[in-house]
Amino acid sequence: MTQAPDVIADLTAESEALDAVVAKLSDEQWETGTPAHGWAVRHQIAHLAATFRLAGLAAAQPAAFQQMTSRLSDDFDANVAAAMADFVVEPPAVLLSRWRSERATAEKALAAVPPGQMVPWLVRPLPAPVLAAAGMMEVFAHGRDVLDALGVRPTYTDRLGHLVGFAVRTWDFGYLARGLTAPDVQFRFEITAPSGALWAFGPADADQRITGPAEDFCLLVTRRRHRDDLAVRAVGSDAEHWLDIAQAYRGPAGPGRRPGQFSQTDQA
């Protein structure tokens, strides 16, 4: 596939696009509830700030990161809450400033990692560009929750290619999150970029196939839309099942979204 070569620059651009939206909000709007149950806009930004802080630590101080993660509990939700605890209590202006600072630190640290060097991460070590692509996934997912809460319809670019590639790379996460064994088959992914370009992965003659537009694919793998509301299609029984469980992140799948939940927003 063809995509922008600098994933860190694209991560910066995606973050700045979300920043431009939340920077205009009043303090009251930061308390707007989002589709994630119990999370307001401030929770979403606090989570992103905590995620960038972890990424910056992993890239710049891998030993310290590994020491910190060795103390995590088996309770995923508790770990998430603990990571964002000191961010979420901040006033909006301070939280926004801290998110910006954590982003800048993480982006600088990721850019400084020598090519080919692995960075420790929560599931398994990753090359710095792949970890940056994981950051794109976080910004897309939590940013979309914010935009949905505010009734803002985004316009995406081919920067989504990094998230598409990451989701294909982690295609088995949906199985792992549910204690299932991934099928011993190869999938063919044919995803249409916002520009109209075709991003293809996997054997061209594979029996199991996933096709659709990039935005819908990204909404599927971040579980921000129900599959019934997306133009992502499957051929083959394994691929059909994958549409039900697809996720580009580890940890509990969560309840996802209901069919038709965003029909008015998506048509805006």
Side-chain angles (χ1 to χ4, degrees), residues 9-75:
D10 284 352
L11 174 59
T12 299
E14 286 296 304
S15 298
E16 288 176 346
L18 177 58
D19 188 310
V21 174
V22 298
K24 300 175 183 177
L25 301 181
S26 66
D27 286 2
E28 291 74 20
Q29 287 175 306
W30 278 78
E31 300 304 319
T32 303
T34 70
H37 179 69
W39 280 33
V41 170
R42 64 184 172 88
H43 293 88
Q44 302 287 353
I45 301 303
H47 179 79
L48 289 175
T51 301
F52 276 99
R53 178 165 63 179
L54 285 175
L57 182 65
Q61 302 179 60
F65 173 84
Q66 291 173 318
Q67 183 178 28
M68 183 274 294
T69 54
S70 70
R71 299 193 297 268
L72 294 178
S73 74
D74 293 331
D75 188 329

Side-chain angles (χ1 to χ4, degrees), residues 85-143:
D86 70 326
F87 290 106
V88 77
V89 296
E90 298 281 19
V94 176
L95 174 54
L96 181 58
S97 177
R98 292 189 66 188
W99 177 41
R100 289 170 174 169
S101 176
E102 297 295 350
R103 277 161 37 202
T105 297
E107 290 157 2
K108 181 178 180 180
L110 288 168
V113 176
Q117 180 173 309
M118 303 296 280
V119 178
W121 194 235
L122 301 171
V123 179
R124 53 192 179 225
L126 299 172
V130 177
L131 183 51
M136 293 280 285
M137 182 268 295
E138 294 284 346
V139 173
F140 177 93
H142 296 283

Side-chain angles (χ1 to χ4, degrees), residues 164 177 179 194 232:
V164 171
V232 182

